[in-house]
Amino acid sequence: QQQVKQSPQSLIVQKGGISIINCAYENTAFDYFPWYQQFPGKGPALLIAIRPDVSEKKEGRFTISFNKSAKQFSLHIMDSQPGDSATYFCAAREGGAQKLVFGQGTRLTINP
Amino acid sequence: GAVVSQHPSWVICKSGTSVKIECRSLDFQATTMFWYRQFPKQSLMLMATSNEGSKATYEQGVEKDKFLINHASLTLSTLTVTSAHPEDSSFYICSARGILGAADSGANVLTFGAGSRLTVL
């Protein structure tokens, strides 16, 4: 059973455009939602994270939107650049637990 | 800060041999380490969680006798793939959780290693 569902599987965006990746979850005990960026042959790197007591968090060109009632959260990349081309994973962690549950990943390609 | 070093970055071995992968937290004490496996174009699948000085907790379906995990110190955990076979070929990634800075005022961190590509011939 996939606890965190991520879409789309792949995404192509023109340079300067907005990239949007969505995730949905079922477990209401999740209380921490990070997004990771992974380049080929490398480990994931934390991009931005949010807790469910806020509806939006922005860091530079990256924004997380969080809808607690719908149990959905999304990553928006503004002014997308070719260097943003990577695989993005959303994740969730249950309060009190230590392990992360990852979404399936989205392969993002930014065309120049 | 919060750097995790994973070694080797890639390894090729013959079927039937054992391979050890190391994960070190360089500037913080990792009370918990996680080991993941990632097949090409797929997500990270948690294999096991290890707390320093304790036996690792394995996820359902992961053979503990095949994937030996040791977390003997607060800065080092190892994953040994025993009697490796071609189907064990994968990208193995560790992550370390701990406190960066003073124990009573530092920041909780969770950092991933760069991964180890294992190819079993």
Side-chain angles (χ1 to χ4, degrees), chain B residues 19 22 32 42 46 50 55 69 74-76 82 92 97 107 110 115:
Chain B
V19 174
E22 293 187 347
T32 305
Q42 293 191 22
L46 181 65
S50 72
K55 288 185 177 181
I69 292 172
L74 284 171
T75 59
L76 174 65
T82 62
Y92 293 87
R97 179 183 177 89
L110 174 66

Side-chain angles (χ1 to χ4, degrees), chain B residues 5-26:
Chain B
S5 173
Q6 191 170 338
H7 178 81
S9 56
W10 59 271
V11 57
I12 301 173
C13 71
K14 292 182 178 180
S15 184
T17 61
S18 295
V19 174
K20 180 183 286 188
I21 300 170
E22 293 187 347
C23 182
R24 294 181 184 271
S25 56
L26 300 185

Side-chain angles (χ1 to χ4, degrees), chain A residues 2 9 32 36 38 41-46 87 89 93 97-105 107, chain B residues 31-32 34 36 38 40-44 46 49 51 59 91 93 97 110-115 117:
Chain A
Q2 186 69 39
Q9 187 174 5
Y32 176 70
Y36 287 86
Q38 185 180 31
K42 301 295 183 184
L46 179 65
T87 298
F89 292 95
R93 188 182 69 199
Q98 300 185 75
K99 59 185 181 182
L100 290 170
V101 177
F102 284 86
Q104 298 94 322
R107 182 181 292 258
Chain B
T31 51
T32 305
F34 305 89
Y36 294 84
Q38 186 179 32
K41 299 183 180 180
Q42 293 191 22
S43 188
L44 286 78
L46 181 65
T49 302
N51 293 299
E59 295 298 303
F91 193 53
I93 308 171
R97 179 183 177 89
L110 174 66
T111 304
F112 283 81
R117 171 79 57 196

Side-chain angles (χ1 to χ4, degrees), chain A residues 19-97:
Chain A
S19 303
I20 302 174
I21 304 171
N22 302 297
C23 282
Y25 64 97
E26 289 296 325
N27 188 348
T28 54
F30 288 146
D31 68 350
Y32 176 70
F33 302 88
W35 283 90
Y36 287 86
Q37 179 188 57
Q38 185 180 31
F39 292 104
K42 301 295 183 184
L46 179 65
L47 199 58
I48 188 173
I50 198 168
R51 295 193 182 275
D53 53 346
V54 298
S55 59
E56 185 176 282
K57 183 175 182 180
K58 184 176 181 179
E59 290 183 1
R61 296 185 294 110
F62 302 94
T63 299
I64 298 179
S65 295
F66 190 87
N67 186 329
K68 188 174 181 178
S69 60
K71 291 185 282 187
Q72 296 175 348
F73 58 110
S74 59
L75 175 69
H76 296 230
I77 305 175
M78 312 299 287
D79 187 26
S80 300
Q81 299 296 312
D84 297 330
S85 297
T87 298
Y88 292 81
F89 292 95
C90 63
R93 188 182 69 199
E94 185 173 331

Side-chain angles (χ1 to χ4, degrees), chain B residues 35-107:
Chain B
W35 286 94
Y36 294 84
R37 183 173 183 176
Q38 186 179 32
F39 289 108
K41 299 183 180 180
Q42 293 191 22
S43 188
L44 286 78
M45 300 303 297
L46 181 65
M47 299 174 67
T49 302
S50 72
N51 293 299
E52 185 266 338
S54 302
K55 288 185 177 181
T57 300
Y58 289 81
E59 295 298 303
Q60 190 173 9
V62 178
E63 299 176 62
K64 62 180 181 181
D65 294 330
K66 180 165 186 65
F67 299 99
L68 301 179
I69 292 172
N70 183 282
H71 190 173
S73 79
L74 284 171
T75 59
L76 174 65
S77 177
T78 60
L79 167 67
T80 301
V81 183
T82 62
S83 186
H85 288 89
E87 57 266 29
D88 299 323
S89 299
S90 187
F91 193 53
Y92 293 87
I93 308 171
C94 70
S95 69
R97 179 183 177 89
I99 296 178
L100 181 65
D104 59 348
S105 60

